[in-house]
């Protein structure tokens, strides 16, 4: 009975972090990364499906994870180090691997 929302990272035209976006992230200004992080944090469950990509994570997925790894939304800094804020959520990552 779950409602599913699909995000095709290529269709969404996810860009790599730029100096402008990073500066906005640290200044607290509204920015595209904050929009993605807030949307990501609003979900109860996550299913990430990724192909094998040169024996690692697809670059576009890494770029998206950079966006949603947002201080004050998905984690916070503490005296003991970073602490996650997306608690009690379920996630599955479906990937393929290979190589010698």
């Amino acid at each position: 009975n779950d409602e599913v929302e699909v995000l095709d990272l290529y269709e969404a035209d996810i860009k790599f972090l730029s100096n402008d976006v990073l500066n906005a992230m640290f200044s607290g200004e509204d920015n595209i990364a904050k929009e993605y992080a807030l949307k990501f944090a609003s979900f109860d469950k996550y299913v990430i499906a990724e192909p094998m990509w040169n024996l690692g994570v697809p670059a576009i997925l890494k770029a998206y994870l950079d966006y949603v790894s947002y201080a004050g939304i998905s984690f916070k800094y503490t005296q003991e180090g970073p602490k996650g804020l997306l608690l009690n959520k379920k996630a599955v990552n479906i990937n393929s691997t290979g190589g010698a």
Side-chain angles (χ1 to χ4, degrees):
N1 293 328
D2 290 334
E3 182 180 325
V4 176
E5 184 171 326
V6 175
L7 174 61
D8 181 317
L9 299 179
Y10 289 102
E11 212 172 89
D13 199 26
I14 300 294
K15 304 285 187 212
F16 296 109
L17 285 179
S18 66
N19 283 336
D20 290 339
V21 173
L22 281 171
N23 288 334
M25 288 172 80
F26 287 110
S27 72
E29 296 174 32
D30 286 338
N31 61 79
I32 190 68
K34 187 174 186 177
E35 290 177 32
Y36 277 112
L38 287 169
K39 184 73 172 177
F40 186 82
S42 73
F43 296 116
D44 297 321
K45 299 174 185 171
Y46 307 96
V47 177
I48 299 170
E50 62 179 283
M52 181 177 69
W53 195 271
N54 203 20
L55 303 178
V57 174
I60 198 163
L61 177 57
K62 171 65 170 89
Y64 177 72
L65 293 175
D66 287 342
Y67 277 29
V68 301
S69 298
Y70 203 103
I73 297 174
S74 56
F75 75 96
K76 67 179 177 179
Y77 293 108
T78 70
Q79 295 286 23
E80 296 81 36
K83 299 288 181 192
L85 296 175
L86 303 179
L87 306 175
N88 301 316
K89 297 183 183 243
K90 296 184 183 260
V92 63
N93 181 19
I94 303 165
N95 63 19
S96 59
T97 59

